Amino acid sequence: GLAFFSAVLERQAALIAHWMDLGFIHGVMNTDNTSIAGETIDYGPCAFMDEFRFDKVFSSIDRRGRYAYINQAAIGQWNLARLAECLLMVGGDQSEFEAELGRFPALFDRHYLARMRRKLGLTTEATGDAELIREWLEHLQANELDYTESFRSLSTCITGKGPTQFGEFESRWRQRLATESQDPQVTKALMDSANPLFIPRNHQVERAIGDAIKGDFAVFKELAEVITRPFEQQPDHAGYASPPTLDERVTKTFCGT
């Protein structure tokens, strides 16, 4: 039982870290929507963030932010605690399960930091990396910047030419990159391989659904094709990479989605 629980815990930590590095919000992280296989299931009101906020919520039924972006790891651990309680009913030592469950925060942080370092073009570990990542996200939130687009824009700043786009953070980030002595083009390629150009943006999904209801599946098919190659430049479909305008923003999603 304990070995099984440990394997599930490992997969959940990796999965939720992957969600968060892409700006994905599951929306209904109930225990019955959590797979022991470490796969994403039953995500009806899910959404990818446009403008970044730590407390971003989309699901119409999540009125208190229980499943907000920043709470997903904590809810993952809560769900694992419920699994541990069930497993203990068929045997095992409670203290061992509690110790295993206690590994989750550090395990999640390891996966999350590894993914976020890659998104920022970093290939080594340094003491201040967590603070640097936090500073980046705080900059995005303070300036209401698009999560996905901002990472791709940041990779164009690597050479240091042109005006600063991201304030004090950009200076700190360049200083951190300088400690790695890596060719700027290699760093840019690393970032572009970790930061998608295309995600299923909420306003495009809404457009696809609206057209499909009328019997027109053209947008649905085009969007489905575009997001199968999320990291590639697709000049003919560049509009799918653009953030929504203010009046296009989707602020609520529903379980029926």
Side-chain angles (χ1 to χ4, degrees), residues 32 59 125 208 224:
D32 60 311
S59 175
E125 298 180 13

Side-chain angles (χ1 to χ4, degrees), residues 8-44:
V8 174
L9 183 141
E10 292 266 355
R11 291 191 178 194
Q12 286 300 314
L15 175 67
I16 297 171
H18 198 178
W19 287 352
M20 293 181 66
D21 100 73
L22 293 172
F24 176 81
I25 301 168
H26 183 286
V28 279
M29 289 179 65
N30 304 332
T31 52
D32 60 311
N33 297 336
T34 303
S35 169
I36 59 174
E39 298 175 349
T40 308
I41 62 169
D42 206 343
Y43 41 99

Side-chain angles (χ1 to χ4, degrees), residues 107-192:
L107 186 59
F108 167 79
D109 284 348
R110 180 163 61 81
H111 283 291
Y112 178 73
L113 289 175
R115 286 189 169 277
M116 295 300 286
R117 284 190 183 98
R118 183 179 176 87
K119 288 173 75 69
L120 292 178
L122 304 174
T123 59
T124 61
E125 298 180 13
T127 303
D129 286 349
E131 289 77 12
L132 183 68
I133 292 163
R134 180 81 183 188
E135 183 179 335
W136 167 242
L137 297 178
E138 287 175 346
H139 179 84
L140 297 186
Q141 177 168 277
N143 293 278
E144 296 187 9
L145 298 179
D146 185 83
Y147 184 78
T148 300
E149 185 180 59
S150 293
F151 276 102
R152 292 294 293 215
S153 296
L154 186 65
S155 73
T156 67
C157 302
I158 290 173
T159 59
K161 298 175 182 177
T164 298
Q165 295 185 46
F166 297 104
E168 293 182 9
F169 164 79
E170 189 174 328
S171 298
R172 279 197 60 196
W173 172 67
R174 284 198 183 125
Q175 291 172 4
R176 174 66 178 87
L177 283 177
T179 67
E180 300 205 334
S181 302
Q182 185 169 251
D183 182 270
Q185 293 307 315
V186 173
T187 301
K188 185 177 188 307
L190 173 67
M191 293 180 69
D192 289 348

